[in-house]
C-alpha cells in the first residue's frame, strides 16, 4: 500500500509539472479562441508562385466548432488547411508543452515568441512557433513544421487591435511540400510544368483575404 501511494504521488507531481509547462499567455489566447462557436466570411485568394498562372479566386468559408472548415465556390479551391486554422484547433488538438523564448519585435510590434511541442505522436506537426501580441492576444505569425507536408510560415493581418480573427493571411510554403496537385486550384489555372521541374524547391505564397465576418461566440 505504501509503495502504491508513493507511486501515485510521483504521478501527480509529474502531472503538475507538465501543467506548468503550458505558457499562461497562450492559455489566455486559447480561452479566447475557444469562445468562438463558429464564423462565416467571404474569402478572396490569390497565389504567388512563379510557374502558376491563376486568376483571383472567390469563395465563402463556414466554420462550426468541432467540424472541419467548409469552403463553397463556383470553382474548387485548394487551400492548405493550416491557412484556415484560425482558431488553432490543429495545434491544440493533442497534449502539448510550451517554451516561451521571450519578447521579440515583429514588424515594429512587440510580441512573445512561444514554441509549442506536442507530447504525443498523434499530432501531425513536430513543432510550432507562435509570435503572439500579449496585449491584444493576437497571433501575428506562426511557423509550423509538419511531419509530412513541410514547413508553413503564416503571417496574420488584422483590421484593428481588438479583432478576434485576422482579415488577411499569407501562407508561405515550399512548393514541393504541396501534396495535392496544383491543377486542383481550378480549371482556369495554368501550370508551366517545365518551369515547375526546374524550380522544385521554390518557395511560394498563398494570400487569403477575409471580409464580411459573422462570428458566433459561446
Amino acid at each position: 500500500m505504501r509503495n502504491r501511494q508513493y507511486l501515485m504521488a510521483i504521478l501527480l507531481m509529474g502531472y503538475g509539472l507538465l501543467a506548468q509547462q503550458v505558457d499562461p499567455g497562450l492559455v489566455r489566447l486559447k480561452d479566447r479562441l475557444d469562445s468562438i462557436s463558429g464564423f462565416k466570411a467571404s474569402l478572396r485568394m490569390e497565389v504567388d508562385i512563379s510557374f502558376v498562372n491563376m486568376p483571383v479566386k472567390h469563395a465563402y468559408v463556414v466554420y462550426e466548432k468541432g467540424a472541419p472548415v467548409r469552403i463553397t465556390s463556383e470553382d474548387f479551391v485548394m487551400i492548405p488547411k493550416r491557412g484556415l486554422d484560425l482558431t488553432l484547433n490543429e495545434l491544440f488538438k493533442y497534449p502539448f508543452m510550451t517554451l516561451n523564448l521571450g519578447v521579440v519585435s515583429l514588424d515594429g510590434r512587440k510580441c512573445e515568441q512561444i514554441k509549442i511541442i506536442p507530447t504525443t505522436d498523434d499530432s501531425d506537426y513536430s513543432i510550432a512557433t507562435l509570435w503572439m501580441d500579449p496585449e491584444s492576444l493576437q497571433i501575428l505569425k506562426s511557423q509550423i513544421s509538419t511531419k509530412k507536408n513541410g514547413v508553413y510560415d503564416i503571417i496574420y493581418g488584422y483590421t484593428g487591435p481588438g479583432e478576434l480573427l485576422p482579415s488577411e493571411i499569407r501562407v508561405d510554403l515550399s512548393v514541393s511540400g504541396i501534396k495535392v496537385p496544383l491543377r486542383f486550384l481550378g480549371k482556369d489555372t495554368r501550370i508551366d510544368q517545365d518551369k515547375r521541374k526546374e524550380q522544385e524547391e521554390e518557395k511560394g505564397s498563398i494570400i487569403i483575404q477575409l471580409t464580411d465576418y459573422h462570428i458566433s461566440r459561446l
Side-chain angles (χ1 to χ4, degrees):
M1 177 66 70
R2 182 175 298 177
N3 289 338
R4 289 178 60 185
Q5 292 175 342
Y6 180 68
L7 178 60
M8 183 62 70
I10 291 177
L11 292 174
L12 290 174
M13 183 181 297
Y15 178 81
L17 290 174
L18 181 60
Q20 293 174 12
Q21 289 177 310
V22 177
D23 185 83
L26 189 63
V27 172
R28 291 170 55 216
L29 170 69
K30 184 178 182 302
D31 289 343
R32 188 170 189 251
L33 295 177
D34 282 347
S35 71
I36 299 173
S37 60
F39 67 81
K40 302 176 182 179
S42 298
L43 181 150
R44 179 186 186 276
M45 185 185 81
E46 57 183 305
V47 171
D48 183 12
I49 300 174
S50 65
F51 55 80
V52 177
N53 183 5
M54 187 198 81
V56 172
K57 301 288 184 179
H58 296 273
Y60 194 69
V61 57
V62 177
Y63 165 76
E64 294 179 3
K65 196 176 187 68
V69 172
R70 301 198 313 272
I71 299 173
T72 57
S73 174
E74 294 181 358
D75 187 18
F76 184 80
V77 177
M78 183 201 77
I79 300 176
K81 68 176 183 178
R82 293 294 177 188
L84 286 179
D85 185 22
L86 303 186
T87 57
L88 303 184
N89 281 335
E90 292 297 320
L91 293 185
F92 300 149
K93 186 175 181 179
Y94 298 105
F96 61 90
M97 58 186 292
T98 61
L99 177 64
N100 192 316
L101 301 182
V103 177
V104 298
S105 178
L106 181 67
D107 296 330
R109 291 179 65 175
K110 290 185 178 180
C111 54
E112 293 183 1
Q113 192 176 39
I114 303 171
K115 288 194 176 293
I116 302 178
I117 306 148
T119 56
T120 172
D121 292 335
D122 295 329
S123 174
D124 68 353
Y125 72 99
S126 55
I127 191 169
T129 306
L130 301 181
W131 285 256
M132 181 187 76
D133 186 322
E135 296 185 2
S136 64
L137 291 179
Q138 292 174 333
I139 297 297
L140 308 183
K141 177 182 176 180
S142 64
Q143 183 179 78
I144 303 168
S145 298
T146 66
K147 294 177 180 178
K148 296 181 180 179
N149 297 311
V151 178
Y152 291 84
D153 286 304
I154 307 175
I155 305 295
Y156 305 87
Y158 300 84
T159 56
E163 291 301 315
L164 186 59
L165 296 176
S167 57
E168 183 170 297
I169 306 158
R170 191 181 81 234
V171 183
D172 296 331
L173 69 167
S174 171
V175 173
S176 60
I178 301 178
K179 301 300 183 183
V180 179
L182 285 172
R183 66 177 179 274
F184 287 162
L185 285 169
K187 60 187 178 181
D188 53 356
T189 298
R190 299 291 177 264
I191 309 295
D192 187 331
Q193 295 293 353
D194 292 334
K195 194 171 184 179
R196 179 183 183 182
K197 292 177 182 178
E198 294 173 359
Q199 304 182 26
E200 288 185 350
E201 299 304 318
E202 182 189 359
K203 295 287 186 178
S205 298
I206 297 175
I207 299 96
I208 301 167
Q209 293 179 331
L210 295 161
T211 57
D212 303 322
Y213 265 120
H214 295 278
I215 301 174
S216 303
R217 304 186 68 171
L218 298 174

